[in-house]
Structures are given as structure tokens and as C-alpha cells.
Amino acid sequence: MLEVLHLLSFGLGIGSGLLLILGLIRPVLVLWYLDRFNRLKVIQVYGIATLLFLGLSLGLQMMG
């Protein structure tokens, strides 16, 4: 069970990291649902998500 959660959180972390990189190039592609889209918002939304998912993945890997 821990392996599944680890792989899921790792995949989500990689995915949000890719969206972070894409958003730094063209913010409108990843923040289309907001009224304002700039690079600071991309870092706030996807940077935090990337750190959380990869941190969770690391924690689950250490547990298992």
C-alpha cells in the first residue's frame, strides 16, 4: 500500500513540476482558470504542489 502511495505522490510531483516549467514559459497555459496569470502565481500554485508531493513521496519512501 505504501508503494502505491509513494508512486502516486511521485507521479503527481513530477507532473506538477513539468507544469511548473511549462508555466514559467507560458503562464496562460497552466493558469487558464484564473483571471490573472503571471509567473509568480505559477510558482505559488505549482511550486508548492511540487514541493508537497515530492516531500510526501520522500517521506513514504523512508517509511517503507
Side-chain angles (χ1 to χ4, degrees):
M1 184 68 180
L2 283 177
E3 292 178 24
V4 172
L5 291 175
H6 165 66
L7 286 175
L8 181 65
S9 63
F10 185 72
L12 288 173
I14 295 298
S16 60
L18 290 174
L19 288 174
L20 173 67
I21 292 170
L22 181 64
L24 289 176
I25 297 169
R26 297 273 318 241
V28 69
L29 295 177
V30 295
L31 293 178
W32 53 269
Y33 54 88
L34 294 176
D35 57 345
R36 289 216 161 141
F37 26 83
N38 56 18
R39 287 171 178 85
L40 181 61
K41 270 292 201 199
V42 170
I43 292 172
Q44 287 175 344
V45 172
Y46 290 101
I48 291 173
T50 301
L51 289 176
L52 285 176
F53 284 129
L54 290 179
L56 179 65
S57 173
L58 180 68
L60 289 170
Q61 185 180 14
M62 293 176 109
M63 288 175 83

